[in-house]
Amino acid sequence: MRLDILNTMDDVDECVGSTSDCEATIKALVRCTSSLHEGVGKAVQIIRENPLLVSRAEEHFHLLDPLIEYIEAKVFLASDVDQLLFGLGYGRDDMELLNNAYCAWETALEQNFVERLCAGISSLSDYRLNNRFQRLLKRETSMLRHRNHRRALFIGSGPFPISAVWLHRYLGVTVDGLDLSSDAVERSRALIAKLGLEGSINIIHEDSPHYDVGAYDVIIIALLAKPKKVILDNIYASAKPDCEVICRTSSGPRSVLYEPTPISAEILSKYAVRDARVISGAADDTISSLLLTRI
């Protein structure tokens, strides 16, 4: 079957069913025309049939990358009909599979970039998502009500603490990045040293959910940091009364990328939602943000 003439979902079905060549299947999907619902459904099928795309994402990044780019494009270009019908036919397992794939892709993207930057063959501005996170932190810091912040915490900083970097630049304060992965912390520390930001950004390894956050004026919780309830309970127990908390989430079709943060009645009994920046439409941003303050 010639991949250059595949342009329907039936063609992708035939390719999926007749070959174990994952690369050919992904190329077939990327070349075809489809709705958000059809395209994402086929992406789920590919991920489910090729679990190494997620479990060994860094090794198979050359395959996962175009698949995630395809899913992102479908989300960003979703029509009104797509958005109205979003979620019909997607089971909980499907959404979890997509969220895990996106998490694996973003982590591998960060790992690859840190290696390149530390080797001196890339600069910060070369990071593919740099502008996206720059816009995100600009939106988030614009929500903050206080202007006398002295210290900030970013929970879930990952291998490449890009949010911590932009948070430091916008607020001009010391930022601590916290992650439970020792590998992510090691990579982050090497990158921070390469950027000459020691003392301005500190990376902390913490695998206990019960850590003291009483030193911080601002806390941002990454979308990939979980479980959110445990994190928010710990902040409620140990943060300053006037600490401002930004909790990231996703909405609408973008929830195929990131799992939304569940805002339960229990959380609302402890926190007030003071502001929000909700991302929708054709913008290539992926993350929405909620400003929370303790009740």
Side-chain angles (χ1 to χ4, degrees), residues 100-127:
N100 289 342
Y102 198 80
C103 175
W105 169 80
E106 187 171 335
T107 300
L109 182 70
E110 292 186 5
Q111 291 170 335
N112 293 338
F113 183 76
V114 169
E115 290 179 4
R116 291 176 59 83
L117 192 146
C118 289
I121 55 179
S122 289
S123 63
L124 182 64
S125 60
D126 295 328
Y127 182 53

Side-chain angles (χ1 to χ4, degrees), residues 53-268:
L53 290 177
V54 176
S55 63
R56 296 168 65 177
E58 193 171 8
E59 180 181 344
H60 295 88
F61 189 76
H62 66 291
L63 298 175
L64 183 60
D65 190 37
L67 182 61
I68 293 298
E69 281 196 332
Y70 170 82
I71 296 171
E72 280 196 336
K74 286 297 178 185
V75 168
F76 299 150
L77 298 176
S79 67
D80 291 342
V81 173
D82 287 331
Q83 301 209 38
L84 181 65
L85 299 179
F86 171 72
L88 295 179
Y90 300 147
R92 184 173 181 177
D93 290 345
D94 294 338
M95 296 297 288
E96 183 177 359
L97 194 69
L98 289 164
N99 294 159
N100 289 342
Y102 198 80
C103 175
W105 169 80
E106 187 171 335
T107 300
L109 182 70
E110 292 186 5
Q111 291 170 335
N112 293 338
F113 183 76
V114 169
E115 290 179 4
R116 291 176 59 83
L117 192 146
C118 289
I121 55 179
S122 289
S123 63
L124 182 64
S125 60
D126 295 328
Y127 182 53
R128 191 193 305 183
L129 304 182
N130 182 57
N131 291 340
R132 185 181 292 181
F133 277 93
Q134 181 182 1
R135 293 191 300 269
L136 172 61
L137 270 296
K138 187 174 183 178
R139 290 194 302 271
E140 290 178 336
T141 53
S142 73
M143 289 195 292
L144 298 174
R145 298 185 170 195
H146 305 313
R147 291 294 176 262
N148 58 343
H149 306 105
R150 296 183 179 180
R151 194 172 177 187
L153 174 67
F154 187 85
I155 299 175
S157 52
F160 178 31
I162 183 66
S163 289
V165 171
W166 281 110
L167 184 59
H168 166 67
R169 291 187 176 183
Y170 280 124
L171 293 185
V173 301
T174 299
V175 177
D176 290 342
L178 186 148
D179 205 281
L180 57 77
S181 166
S182 56
D183 177 72
V185 168
E186 182 179 345
R187 292 176 190 255
S188 291
R189 287 174 176 168
L191 179 136
I192 293 301
K194 184 71 174 180
L195 294 176
L197 291 172
E198 305 104 315
S200 298
I201 299 176
N202 308 301
I203 306 299
I204 301 169
H205 179 232
E206 180 58 76
D207 56 7
S208 169
H210 306 296
Y211 45 85
D212 187 357
V213 297
Y216 302 102
D217 307 295
V218 178
I219 299 174
I220 298 182
I221 307 170
L223 244 177
L224 298 181
K226 299 175 184 178
K228 288 293 194 304
K229 181 184 182 301
V230 173
I231 294 171
L232 287 168
D233 284 348
N234 183 64
I235 293 172
Y236 185 81
S238 60
K240 296 177 180 179
D242 60 348
C243 178
E244 297 185 279
V245 180
I246 292 176
C247 187
R248 292 178 175 174
T249 188
S250 63
S251 64
R254 283 163 173 79
S255 59
V256 305
L257 309 176
Y258 290 111
E259 179 185 0
T261 296
I263 303 299
S264 64
E266 183 178 354
I267 290 175
L268 292 177

